[in-house]
């Protein structure tokens, strides 16, 4: 995941790396608090995005995006368009509309895991 | 089947769930297993037309036990093959490979027939293959004419096409496929047949894996014959035309009579580039036109109905003469058929049937279809006896049924000189 360094969102990359680093750790109350702080500090929620909207699009992610159900894909496109619009205006959403840590849905994760699993299977077979 | 080249006796078991299991060991080096399901295109409903076409193409898609990639490579790795054939009544999933590796391919077969996942993106990736299939079918006029005559002859069930209709290409989705499998791939309508596989192994597999959907599923509708006509005008100089009337259902004595009649009239050339001297149709039509032509008897039998008639290919200017000459040949048979012709036809029919059993595919198909249609297996000797018991009167009656029955017709080509069904 460290290779997925998006161009401008250094904080987001660090956020993802940290999340994975602490993935197996017990989610004590302190840790959840830290993660919420970090989520808000990363800043993409201010322009109405979710975590999976900001993921760098390499070939695995592109295939996973192709497999999204239509509604989920359309919602993602809307959020991205809205964020681009806000970025152009150098504005952010009103505070009430910022994506909350609890509302964030990792919609791409199952598809991405499946794509990676399939790619690994092909690589395993090619080795034989 | 005992005693022929020392092959083992055919074993048939019916499980409590209704699943039929049949196996035979013909001691070939390659084994073959088939799952036969009564889930052909006649069981499609108006909402899911074309779903069986998609299912035919979806045999290699990801299942709960193996990904699409793994199925393909796994089957290839043992040198086997996995395929699916479907007809109007049945779907047949079959695998074959060398005896030693039959367990591997059997696992894939069971996965494909009982636990397909039909992932939405994999199903939508099938759309180009559907279009390719349809384009290939459109290349052969025979396909269009035969699908057309079924569509014209029946009101329902058997009128469904084997191919996905144009308006459903890209519209059949994973839900349609899951529902069709849920409603039609039930144990009571399936048969697990093996050639060169131990019967107990098949029984175990049948009990463990093929029992997940019990009952009869959605009942099919009885096919209603109506008799209609379909004409496809195009630029082809060759006119393909088939004129049929309602025939006999599978397994009846009448069906046997129709099969013998088919061979009396001529069911295709026996010698390549020969003059087809034993075909009454051919000889009769040759007197009506000097242009190249082909004429053969068309016979198909389904579980509750059948079609019998003549299939002709002719130059567009001579089409009317050819069709009328062919039909008058059938009329001539109603007056009686000579002993020589009858014996000849019976021998040809017996030879055709027995030769079809020579190959593993033919034998598996015969076993599977008999297991599906009643569980009683008729040995080739019994079938040969049934053929012999057809009398000249039976054949004349069959010809009469065609002549007096309501006709259906399908034609394609340049149809300026092709008569309509009421003009024949």
């Amino acid at each position: 995941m460290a290779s997925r360094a998006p161009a401008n969102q250094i904080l987001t990359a660090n956020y993802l790396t940290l999340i994975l680093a602490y993935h197996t750790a017990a989610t004590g109350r302190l840790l959840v608090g830290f993660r919420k702080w970090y989520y808000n500090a990363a800043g993409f929620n201010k322009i109405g995005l979710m975590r999976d909207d900001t993921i760098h699009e390499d070939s695995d992610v592109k295939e996973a995006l192709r497999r999204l159900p239509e509604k989920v894909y359309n919602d993602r496109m809307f959020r991205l368009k809205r964020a681009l619009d806000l970025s152009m205006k150098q504005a952010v959403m009103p505070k009430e509309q910022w994506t909350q840590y609890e509302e964030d849905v990792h919609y791409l994760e199952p598809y991405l895991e499946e794509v990676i699993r399939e790619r690994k299977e092909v690589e395993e077979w090619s080795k034989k | 089947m005992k005693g022929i080249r020392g092959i083992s006796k055919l074993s048939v078991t019916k499980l409590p769930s209704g699943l039929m299991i049949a196996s035979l060991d013909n001691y070939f080096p390659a084994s073959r297993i088939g799952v036969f399901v009564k889930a052909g295109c006649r069981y499609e409903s108006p909402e899911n037309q074309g779903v069986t076409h998609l299912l035919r193409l979806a045999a290699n898609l990801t299942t709960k036990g193996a990904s699409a990639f793994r199925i393909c490579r796994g089957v290839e790795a043992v040198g086997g093959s996995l395929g699916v054939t479907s007809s109007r009544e049945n779907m047949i999933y079959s695998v074959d490979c060398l005896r030693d590796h039959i367990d591997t391919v059997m696992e894939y077969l069971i996965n494909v027939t009982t636990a397909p996942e039909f992932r939405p993106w994999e199903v939508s990736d099938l759309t180009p293959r559907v279009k390719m299939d349809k384009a290939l079918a459109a290349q052969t006029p025979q396909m269009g004419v035969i699908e057309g005559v079924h569509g014209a002859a029946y009101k329902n069930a058997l009128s469904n096409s084997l191919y996905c209709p144009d308006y459903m290409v890209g519209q059949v989705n994973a839900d349609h496929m899951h529902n069709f499998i849920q409603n039609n791939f039930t144990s009571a309508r399936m048969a697990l047949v093996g050639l060169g596989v131990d019967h107990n192994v098949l029984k175990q597999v049948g009990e463990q894996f093929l029992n997940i959907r019990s009952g009869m599923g959605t009942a099919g509708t009885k096919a209603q014959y109506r008799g209609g006509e379909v004409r496809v005008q195009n630029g082809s100089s060759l006119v393909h035309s088939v004129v049929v009337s309602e025939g006999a259902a599978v397994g009846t004595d009448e069906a046997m009579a129709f099969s013998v009649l088919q061979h009396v009239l001529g069911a295709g050339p026996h010698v390549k580039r020969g003059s087809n001297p034993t075909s009454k149709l051919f000889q009769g039509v040759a007197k009506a036109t000097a242009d190249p032509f082909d004429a053969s008897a068309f016979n198909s039998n389904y579980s509750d109905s059948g079609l019998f008639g003549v299939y002709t290919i002719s130059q567009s200017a001579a089409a009317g003469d050819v069709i009328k000459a062919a039909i008058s040949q059938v009329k001539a048979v109603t007056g009686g058929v000579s002993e020589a012709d009858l014996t000849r036809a019976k021998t040809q029919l017996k030879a055709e049937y027995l030769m079809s059993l020579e190959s593993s595919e033919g034998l598996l198909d015969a076993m599977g279809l008999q297991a599906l249609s009643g569980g009683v297996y008729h040995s080739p000797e019994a079938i040969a006896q049934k053929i012999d018991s057809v009398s000249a009167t039976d054949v004349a009656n069959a010809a009469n049924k065609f002549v007096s029955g309501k006709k259906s017709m399908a034609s394609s080509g340049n149809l300026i000189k092709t008569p309509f069904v009421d003009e024949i």
Side-chain angles (χ1 to χ4, degrees):
Chain A
M1 284 287 260
S3 63
R4 263 180 244 295
N8 299 317
Q9 303 267 18
I10 314 287
L11 269 178
T12 319
N14 290 343
Y15 165 75
L16 290 169
T17 323
L18 262 175
I19 286 301
L20 270 171
Y22 286 101
H23 190 64
T24 53
T27 44
R29 267 198 350 232
L30 264 176
L31 219 42
V32 170
F34 175 75
R35 290 165 89 166
K36 276 172 86 161
W37 171 82
Y38 202 87
Y39 184 87
N40 290 316
F44 55 78
N45 62 339
K46 294 185 185 130
I47 46 175
L49 291 174
M50 295 199 199
R51 184 200 76 166
D52 283 344
D53 295 338
T54 62
I55 204 165
H56 175 65
E57 280 191 30
D58 68 3
S59 52
D60 286 338
V61 174
K62 282 201 174 83
E63 174 62 25
L65 287 174
R66 191 183 77 88
R67 297 180 179 194
L68 282 178
E70 201 182 331
K71 183 171 182 326
V72 180
Y73 185 77
N74 289 345
D75 286 344
R76 172 194 160 93
M77 280 298 119
F78 169 75
R79 286 193 300 274
L80 286 175
K81 275 191 186 174
R82 185 177 62 185
L84 283 170
D85 178 70
L86 288 169
S87 158
M88 183 240 335
K89 292 187 283 204
Q90 301 285 357
V92 288
M93 308 269 281
K95 193 142 188 226
E96 316 82 67
Q97 289 181 23
W98 291 3
T99 322
Q100 298 302 315
Y101 178 79
E102 295 81 9
E103 292 171 350
D104 194 311
V105 176
H106 299 171
Y107 58 84
L108 195 61
E109 207 171 294
Y111 297 95
L112 189 55
E113 275 172 13
E114 184 60 25
V115 169
I116 295 176
R117 190 195 68 80
E118 285 177 11
R119 176 171 55 84
K120 285 205 184 329
E121 188 182 28
V122 175
E123 285 164 8
E124 278 298 313
W125 271 84
S126 322
K127 279 189 213 155
K128 281 191 201 171
Chain B
M1 299 285 281
K2 215 162 102 175
I4 305 176
R5 282 188 270 117
I7 50 179
S8 75
K9 200 162 177 297
L10 177 89
S11 323
V12 180
T13 317
K14 184 168 177 163
L15 293 186
S17 62
L19 179 72
M20 296 294 309
I21 308 219
S23 76
L24 173 71
D25 204 336
N26 54 0
Y27 300 113
F28 276 17
S31 299
R32 190 173 264 273
I33 306 183
V35 173
F36 291 72
V37 195
K38 277 189 198 153
C41 63
R42 73 173 291 165
Y43 296 100
E44 284 176 1
S45 72
E47 293 83 31
N48 64 9
Q49 294 283 310
V51 70
T52 49
H53 189 182
L54 271 279
L55 280 174
R56 254 198 329 267
L57 295 172
N60 67 327
L61 296 187
T62 304
T63 64
K64 292 200 174 61
S67 70
F69 175 81
R70 173 134 170 262
I71 293 176
C72 177
R73 291 299 181 95
V75 170
E76 277 181 11
V78 294
S81 70
L82 162 69
V84 56
T85 315
S86 78
S87 70
R88 300 201 129 80
E89 305 227 279
N90 305 308
M91 286 196 83
I92 305 166
Y93 290 82
S94 68
V95 285
D96 67 1
C97 75
L98 292 180
R99 289 181 156 252
D100 311 323
H101 305 294
I102 199 69
D103 302 320
T104 326
V105 291
M106 177 141 57
E107 185 206 321
Y108 292 126
L109 177 66
I110 298 304
N111 261 313
V112 165
T113 43
T114 57
E117 285 195 285
F118 299 135
R119 294 177 168 182
W121 56 91
E122 288 184 342
V123 172
S124 39
D125 282 348
L126 287 178
T127 307
R129 289 172 66 188
V130 172
K131 291 185 183 159
M132 167 93 104
D133 261 3
K134 284 171 64 86
L136 282 173
Q139 298 264 7
T140 56
Q142 286 89 338
M143 214 56 230
V145 163
I146 294 185
E147 294 295 289
V149 80
H150 281 90
Y154 289 100
K155 288 187 185 177
N156 59 357
L158 292 173
S159 63
N160 290 339
S161 171
L162 289 168
Y163 291 91
C164 186
D166 286 334
Y167 70 91
M168 285 300 280
V169 174
Q171 306 294 320
V172 179
N173 59 30
D175 289 325
H176 288 130
M177 294 164 82
H178 274 299
N179 286 336
F180 187 82
I181 296 235
Q182 272 301 112
N183 293 331
N184 294 291
F185 279 49
T186 56
S187 308
R189 283 157 69 167
M190 290 167 80
L192 177 61
V193 185
L195 266 185
V197 191
D198 186 40
H199 195 72
N200 292 323
V201 168
L202 281 184
K203 260 171 71 177
Q204 228 178 356
V205 167
E207 276 157 10
Q208 265 183 309
F209 298 108
L210 292 176
N211 271 345
I212 42 177
R213 279 172 229 106
S214 54
M216 285 299 294
T218 19
T221 44
K222 179 154 180 6
Q224 292 166 292
Y225 182 86
R226 67 175 171 99
E229 184 179 6
V230 155
R231 291 167 78 90
V232 177
Q233 169 74 26
N234 60 38
S236 171
S237 61
L238 282 178
V239 168
H240 287 247
S241 179
V242 64
V243 180
V244 295
S245 175
E246 196 173 16
V250 150
T252 56
D253 293 330
E254 213 186 357
M256 210 48 98
F258 271 111
S259 295
V260 175
L261 176 60
Q262 186 187 13
H263 281 82
V264 166
L265 290 169
H270 293 276
V271 177
K272 276 190 203 175
R273 293 179 275 280
S275 61
N276 225 338
T278 58
S279 164
K280 279 196 181 309
L281 281 177
F282 213 86
Q283 299 306 313
V285 174
K287 298 193 181 90
T289 177
D291 295 327
F293 70 92
D294 189 19
S296 60
F298 177 84
N299 182 22
S300 60
N301 307 99
Y302 304 106
S303 56
D304 57 359
S305 179
L307 292 176
F308 182 88
V310 288
Y311 190 107
T312 55
I313 309 180
S314 48
Q315 304 299 312
S316 58
D321 300 327
V322 168
I323 296 174
K324 289 186 179 136
I327 298 201
S328 62
Q329 282 299 310
V330 188
K331 283 203 179 107
V333 176
T334 58
V337 64
S338 71
E339 262 315 298
D341 281 334
L342 188 63
T343 326
R344 184 214 12 105
K346 286 184 190 175
T347 316
Q348 282 173 338
L349 178 58
K350 273 188 277 185
E352 190 185 297
Y353 178 69
L354 291 174
M355 282 197 254
S356 75
L357 297 180
E358 289 278 301
S359 73
S360 287
E361 298 100 340
L363 185 51
L364 190 82
D365 273 354
M367 283 163 64
L369 294 173
Q370 293 203 37
L372 264 190
S373 62
V376 180
Y377 181 75
H378 300 283
S379 68
E381 292 87 3
I383 303 244
Q385 263 182 332
K386 275 181 101 177
I387 295 177
D388 278 327
S389 64
V390 170
S391 69
T393 340
D394 296 329
V395 172
N397 289 341
N400 219 349
K401 192 170 177 193
F402 167 74
V403 169
S404 56
K406 182 152 189 242
K407 307 260 180 329
S408 305
M409 184 168 172
S411 322
S412 82
N414 188 349
L415 302 178
I416 36 167
K417 283 285 172 66
T418 309
F420 286 79
V421 69
D422 51 354
E423 289 170 1
I424 313 174

